[in-house]
Amino acid sequence: MSHTIPSIRTYGFVYLALMLLLALTVGAAYLNLGSANILVALAIAVVKVVLIALYFMHLKGSNRLAWVFSAMGVAWLALLIGLTTLDFVSRWPALPGK
Amino acid sequence: MSTTHELLQEPPLAEHFDDLEQQHLSAQLGMWIFLATEALFFGGLFCAYTVYRRMHWIEFVVASRELNVAAGAINTAVLLTSSLTMALAVRAAKLRERRWLLIYLAITIVFGAVFLGIKAFEWSEDYERGLVPGSLFTFPFRPEFAGFAEIFFLLYFLMTGLHAIHLIIGIALVATVAGFCARHQYVAQGENLVEMTGLYWHFIDVIWVFLYPLLYLIDVHR
């Protein structure tokens, strides 16, 4: 329990960054980036989530075991969505849309 | 007052733990495992979303345009702000600042309630415009796309609904923890409680951070 407690300033900066990223994600949605729109939106969301996890959820000062288990959550989710998507991308060529 | 005093005499360390640090790490680890299962719980819906969006992207684009982008953006800001106050509540608990802990928990509840209020307003708007899947679904805007637009709205209501249920549980948890900390003179026993509730609250925020762009911002640039 010897972790240093982050200052209010740190939380303030993280909050400010999150709000800027929110403005960025809304702004980027109004630009026509073609199929990159979804990638930009997801990339910004991932940055936001990393900030929330590291600072608000204190992963930064946490035990390595907490890192492993939070990473496993992401890994299982990636398996679920990734492998399902792989199936639809590769085994169903007669799909409408692209 | 004597009962309060008795409660204070209770050691905050449960007997099956060696020390406070081990107790804290166990709570933290258990919470992360729970959140991983929660991520998979929502994951099924995100997976269905991914598949249907790929198969019927035109209908998803058309359907998504009917959502209130501004209300969604305001709600994202509200939830991010509630996460900040929740993080500050956890900080106050660690510093044993009981007054600030209660203030921050109260503000967190208020922001959570504001989010639900805006969401309820959006849902009633959707209802009036015939966007609720089922026999009420009319989708008068582009009837030719109604079939799979209905799938989009089914996912929209399931995802935002499941999220709202989590938020309601979150508000109840925060209120319970605040009640616990208000009844006790010091927050020593409540410290883990506040921190784990905080993890749950931030997880709800994380889900919304993905829901907002995926549901509201599919194709607003045209």
Side-chain angles (χ1 to χ4, degrees):
Chain A
M1 295 251 242
S2 55
H3 320 305
T4 48
I5 297 166
S7 66
I8 289 188
R9 263 173 75 94
T10 309
Y11 287 119
F13 279 129
V14 171
Y15 176 68
L16 210 63
L18 287 172
M19 287 311 221
L20 286 175
L21 286 167
L22 167 62
L24 196 65
T25 197
V26 175
Y30 281 94
L31 300 174
N32 189 358
L33 307 171
S35 57
N37 266 102
I38 176 74
L39 296 177
V40 170
L42 284 177
I44 295 173
V46 167
V47 174
K48 274 157 107 177
V49 166
V50 167
L51 281 177
I52 293 172
L54 281 181
Y55 292 95
F56 287 177
M57 297 172 101
H58 305 109
L59 212 47
K60 197 162 171 261
S62 282
N63 186 280
R64 292 289 140 185
L65 211 51
W67 281 74
V68 171
F69 277 78
S70 55
M72 282 318 285
V74 177
W76 293 125
L77 199 60
L79 268 184
L80 174 70
I81 296 175
L83 287 183
T84 310
T85 307
L86 204 62
D87 221 26
F88 278 88
V89 171
S90 61
R91 293 216 275 192
W92 201 343
L95 283 179
K98 34 179 223 163
Chain B
M1 274 333 266
S2 63
T3 48
T4 312
H5 194 244
E6 271 167 38
L7 283 169
L8 281 177
Q9 300 304 312
E10 254 182 355
L13 177 66
E15 57 181 302
H16 52 285
F17 292 115
D18 289 340
D19 52 31
L20 283 174
E21 167 131 30
Q22 193 200 17
Q23 177 170 273
H24 175 252
L25 290 177
S26 304
Q28 203 180 38
L29 189 62
M31 200 61 202
W32 277 108
I33 293 171
F34 171 66
L35 293 184
T37 68
E38 283 278 79
L40 287 172
F41 184 23
F42 276 95
L45 286 169
F46 278 105
C47 192
Y49 171 92
T50 310
V51 170
Y52 276 110
R53 178 178 162 142
R54 201 191 120 73
M55 287 168 72
H56 308 287
W57 62 279
I58 298 171
E59 287 88 343
F60 268 48
V61 162
V62 171
S64 160
R65 278 191 201 141
E66 301 307 324
L67 292 178
N68 192 333
V69 175
I74 292 167
N75 252 352
T76 312
V78 167
L79 214 51
L80 287 173
T81 311
S82 80
S83 257
L84 172 71
T85 58
M86 189 70 227
L88 291 174
V90 173
R91 181 176 184 272
K94 289 193 171 175
L95 294 173
R96 309 281 158 89
E97 292 172 346
R98 190 165 160 274
R99 205 170 69 91
W100 281 109
L101 167 65
L102 293 174
I103 291 172
Y104 284 133
L105 288 179
I107 300 174
T108 306
I109 292 174
V110 169
F111 278 116
V114 168
F115 179 95
L116 287 177
I118 294 174
K119 203 80 213 89
F121 159 74
E122 278 187 73
W123 280 331
S124 69
E125 210 180 45
D126 299 333
Y127 175 78
E128 278 161 23
R129 300 173 68 213
L131 299 176
V132 178
S135 56
L136 293 167
F137 193 80
T138 49
F139 205 63
F141 321 100
R142 302 286 291 273
E144 70 272 29
F145 293 129
F148 286 102
E150 192 171 1
I151 299 272
F152 173 85
F153 278 102
L154 189 66
L155 284 168
Y156 162 77
F157 280 105
L158 282 176
M159 290 168 117
T160 56
L162 189 63
H163 178 265
I165 290 172
H166 276 77
L167 193 54
I168 291 168
I169 296 171
I171 291 173
L173 276 176
V174 173
T176 310
V177 169
F180 178 88
C181 294
R183 270 186 271 103
H184 296 68
Q185 276 301 303
Y186 300 98
V187 291
Q189 290 102 319
E191 202 184 302
N192 269 357
L193 220 55
V194 177
E195 196 181 330
M196 299 317 133
T197 310
L199 283 179
Y200 184 74
W201 191 275
H202 298 309
F203 174 79
I204 299 169
D205 195 14
V206 162
I207 292 293
W208 184 261
V209 162
F210 280 107
L211 284 185
Y212 177 57
L214 288 180
L215 294 174
Y216 291 75
L217 302 176
I218 291 185
D219 190 59
V220 290
H221 54 76
R222 253 171 258 185

